[in-house]
Amino acid sequence: MNEVKDFYDNKISKIDFFSNCGDAINATFNVNVTQVRNWVDVEKKVNSTWDNVRLQIRNQLTSTLHENWREGYRQWNNITMEAKLLLKDGVLKNISTFIQENKLNNCIYESVEWDLLTAMMEYAYSTYVKPGFHTELLEIYNSGHIPCGWKGKWPQGSLLIF
């Protein structure tokens, strides 16, 4: 398994979160994207439907690990705790401050936390399962935007970003 600290240090800690929110999307991604207009739209789209899409995707990872690499999967909780601590003591502090200063709904913080944590888990288990959706979400964050929902029925449709 890969060390989540390395991934955090080399990838996540270097992201300039939200720096291009509201600007045109000048990057290409491995998923269709649709841009939303403003933070109000983000708050509306970060909802249970979006949560369910991301949960379904993460469940695919855990199911595959459980079925095929049970010994490695047994480390899930330990890796999760390490990843959560790295995030909490690192970038999530600045994200929390941004959310508060801009009077945004805390659901945005929770959504970002979920995405970052799951991207770290995809990285940790990438020797077993090819990283996927949440690693792609990390590229959206890295571009200065925020993924905030899904338009259409998964997996058809497009990722909503601001």
Side-chain angles (χ1 to χ4, degrees):
M1 269 177 283
N2 296 314
E3 294 292 324
V4 292
K5 182 166 182 359
D6 294 338
F7 186 70
Y8 176 84
D9 290 342
N10 296 324
K11 266 301 228 195
I12 294 175
S13 70
K14 297 185 181 336
I15 296 174
D16 187 10
F17 288 92
F18 317 128
S19 60
N20 290 317
C21 288
D23 296 342
I25 302 167
N26 292 323
T28 56
F29 304 106
N30 293 324
V31 62
N32 293 326
V33 297
T34 301
Q35 189 167 11
V36 300
R37 295 183 312 255
N38 52 45
W39 283 109
V40 173
D41 286 347
V42 173
E43 289 176 328
K44 288 178 187 173
K45 300 300 181 187
V46 174
N47 57 32
S48 60
T49 302
W50 176 229
D51 290 345
N52 288 338
V53 168
R54 294 178 303 155
L55 180 60
Q56 177 184 352
I57 294 165
R58 188 170 86 173
N59 285 346
Q60 291 172 346
L61 172 62
T62 58
S63 293
T64 300
L65 291 169
H66 182 265
E67 291 170 15
N68 300 297
W69 295 282
R70 202 165 287 194
E71 192 60 40
Y73 179 61
R74 286 190 178 104
Q75 296 303 310
W76 182 273
N77 289 342
N78 293 334
I79 296 167
T80 299
M81 295 303 288
E82 179 185 0
K84 281 184 174 185
L85 188 60
L86 287 165
L87 290 169
K88 180 179 163 247
D89 290 344
V91 298
L92 289 178
K93 287 180 182 180
N94 292 337
I95 291 169
S96 177
T97 300
F98 180 89
I99 299 294
Q100 291 171 5
E101 287 176 352
N102 289 280
K103 297 178 176 47
L104 299 172
N105 190 299
N106 199 54
C107 67
I108 294 172
Y109 173 90
E110 293 166 353
S111 183
V112 174
E113 179 183 34
W114 175 274
D115 293 341
L116 298 179
L117 178 60
T118 307
M120 291 175 80
M121 298 310 287
E122 283 185 356
Y123 175 78
Y125 285 99
S126 62
T127 56
Y128 302 114
V129 179
K130 183 180 175 191
F133 186 75
H134 285 86
T135 300
E136 185 64 23
L137 293 184
L138 197 63
E139 292 306 315
I140 309 269
Y141 287 110
N142 195 46
S143 75
H145 294 281
I146 179 173
C148 59
W150 189 262
K151 181 179 180 180
K153 183 170 170 60
W154 173 260
Q156 281 70 44
S158 62
L159 179 66
L160 300 174
I161 70 173
F162 177 61

